Amino acid sequence: MADIEFNRNEDEMKQLLFHLKQKFVNVSEGGGKKNAAKQKEKGKMLARERISYLLDKDSRFLEIGAFAADEMYQEYGGCPSAGSVAGIGYIHGRQCIVVANDATVKAGAWFPMAAKKNLRAQEISIENRLPIIYLVDSAGVFLPMQDEIFPDKEHFGRIFRNNAVMSSMGIIQIAAIMGSCVAGGAYLPIMSDQAMIVDKTGSIFLAGSYLVKAAVGEDVDNETLGGATTQCEISGVTDNKYPDDATCLDAIRKIFDKTGATERAGLDRCNPTEPSKKPSEIYGILPTQRDKQYDMLEIIHRLVDHSEFEQYKELYGKTILCGLARIEGWAVGIVANNRKVVKTKKGEMQIGGVIYSDSADKAARFVMNCNQQKIPLVFLQDVTGFMVGSRSEQGGIIKDGAKMVNAVANSVVPKFTIIVGNSYGAGNYAMCGKAYDPRLIAAWPTAQLAVMGGSQAANTLLSIQVSTLKAEGKVITKEDEAHLLKTITDRYNHQLSPYYAASRLWVDAIIDPLDTRKFISMGIEAANHAPITRAFNPGILQT
């Protein structure tokens, strides 16, 4: 690669990363400094401070859903990070999930995306058998949007259903009531295995004093109704009370200090080593332009230990790279789209980033092998879809594509997905998109997710809209078409953004490429807590 192209790619990536860091700083401020000051006046820690205090000092933290609800609910003033902070961390060296309500954001009220984020945290806990800690400080359901959070299967009530199921599975759940805990939200901590409360600032009740007055005519203050003294000494609803946030968090740490070990999946790990090739060179190798080629093998060499990658069927199905490697010591099977034009043995040219019959067949077989050998799978997505056209159809692209999708869907080993560039159409599915249950899924700032690329989609939508307008008898000029195309393109490109995906939790995080090793390693470590109890059934791969 010419130095000038490398430098251009590097500069563009650094600009994207600067934007990523600035957005993270903004969402990390939650509801802003004024609301943060109000929490401090009450003697309370902020959500991120609570998590930092609770977890081991200088340990890793893998945040989930930092950009959840990004640019959503603007009519209500927004809801940064969906009003909560969540992620995977360590207490006394033991991995756990932590979810903390952010009371600076609408008093910690539950918006629809807040429920979805909490459910995602519980899903990660269930899949990986990780203990989960809830740091509760919430005013309850955001009433103006109650119809979007209350009654459906994946709404608020699913959280409490999960509490019950997780308890029956033996997954440790600890709740600390560190602020308001009202109405339906009161069930979350009390359906946990252990519930503690902070004196004076923590309170828990099904109905607050105003509602009690309206419902039964009783005059009572919130502290008497559901404060720490009432719930610990009279009702027995909570287990213990603590004078402040720090003491309560210390008590949680003491619980983990005495908790026994669990079964393991037996995933293979050796001593980790750094890649031999500099990971920072990814910035210069990966182009931000969608029409540029690059060699995904060069990216892989900068992600894996020793830069060693043992390719499977290296000379066959070259638009997908498959092979074994290690990431921070963990054995992994990598399935990656190669976004460069390749030449087959027959002399045919295959377009990079497209899945052909031979590459689909190769990937399906490789996924099957990894399942047999109990090797976690890592998918590196930069895919525009499956190859189309009469030649591909006659060659059985649907059949081979179905085999690949089947292998990924039925895979029993942990799967992890990184969206490097394009993630379009059925290619997203075959390469283990969100619908195919990756344990964790992240996007680089260069990622795009949609049913098809921006220009194709915009022109298709334009044709439909123009035809509709003409059918209504309207005259459409070239200037009208150009204006419509720009409007459609701008809207579609906005929806392609990784931030649009992250705001809706289609991805768990947007990460710096240099954090990919950490993201995958912590994910596999979490997955190793959950024994693999189901056999891989290759299904149509047997035909």
Side-chain angles (χ1 to χ4, degrees), residues 18 41 149 177 193 204 208 218 222 271 454 470 488 495:
F18 177 78
E41 288 171 6
I149 189 174
I177 301 159
D193 302 304
I204 178 169
E218 181 184 0
N222 283 339
N271 291 330
K470 286 181 177 179
I488 292 168
Q495 294 174 354

Side-chain angles (χ1 to χ4, degrees), residues 250-270:
D250 286 337
I252 297 175
R253 288 187 55 82
K254 289 175 182 176
I255 292 170
F256 274 79
D257 185 39
K258 298 170 180 64
T259 300
T262 59
E263 292 183 69
R264 293 289 189 267
L267 305 177
D268 185 68
R269 191 181 198 186
C270 65

Side-chain angles (χ1 to χ4, degrees), residues 91-150:
I91 299 177
H92 288 292
R94 179 167 181 160
Q95 270 192 330
C96 60
I97 306 282
V98 185
V99 183
N101 297 117
D102 185 351
T104 70
V105 181
K106 299 291 188 296
W110 291 80
F111 282 71
M113 283 306 303
K116 186 172 182 178
K117 183 171 177 177
N118 200 104
L119 287 169
R120 176 58 180 148
Q122 289 182 322
E123 181 181 37
I124 295 171
S125 172
I126 291 169
E127 287 181 332
N128 300 290
R129 302 297 192 272
L130 288 182
I132 187 167
I133 299 158
Y134 310 99
L135 306 181
V136 185
D137 194 344
S138 172
V141 168
F142 187 65
L143 287 177
M145 302 191 75
Q146 63 85 27
D147 62 318
E148 296 182 44
I149 189 174
F150 172 68

Side-chain angles (χ1 to χ4, degrees), residues 172-184:
I172 298 169
Q173 298 178 87
I174 300 172
I177 301 159
M178 313 184 85
S180 297
C181 189
V182 184

